[in-house]
Amino acid sequence: GSPEEFLAAWAKITRMTYRKGFAPMYRCVRSPAAGSDEQRRYIRLTSDAGWGCMIRVGQMLLATALKRHHAAGGSGACGVGRGAGGTGRPR
């Protein structure tokens, strides 16, 4: 394809980005053995750098699927959906 076609396709991609500055979440990184005097250790997460990529990939995949679904008039891959009179029956 041409550069113009590529740019048009690129512009249609829904992107999810990194987040930062949200309320901290704590993750236990060391849990002592039963009967130990050692304390649990936690890390404080205030950004989704690292672990958030899996969530973003899922969000982008879902957003793309929903965009395609609604662009097709609500019909599914098998032609089932609201597109043919809203019955939900195959066309």
Side-chain angles (χ1 to χ4, degrees):
S2 70
E4 292 79 20
E5 290 172 328
F6 172 79
L7 290 174
W10 184 260
K12 292 179 184 178
I13 296 172
T14 301
R15 292 172 193 79
M16 307 295 174
T17 61
Y18 283 93
R19 298 258 336 257
K20 63 181 179 178
F22 50 78
M25 296 183 291
Y26 295 91
R27 178 177 174 221
C28 182
V29 292
R30 181 179 294 182
S31 187
S36 173
D37 289 338
E38 192 177 5
Q39 291 186 350
R40 286 183 174 206
R41 290 195 180 169
Y42 294 90
I43 57 173
R44 184 174 178 233
L45 301 170
T46 57
S47 165
D48 68 351
W51 62 270
C53 64
M54 294 303 294
I55 295 171
R56 278 189 299 283
V57 167
Q59 289 172 332
M60 289 167 45
L61 186 62
L62 178 62
T64 300
L66 289 171
K67 281 173 55 175
R68 288 183 179 184
H69 176 75
H70 288 289
S75 63
C78 297
V80 177
R82 297 177 304 207
T87 63
R89 287 179 269 150
R91 292 182 228 170

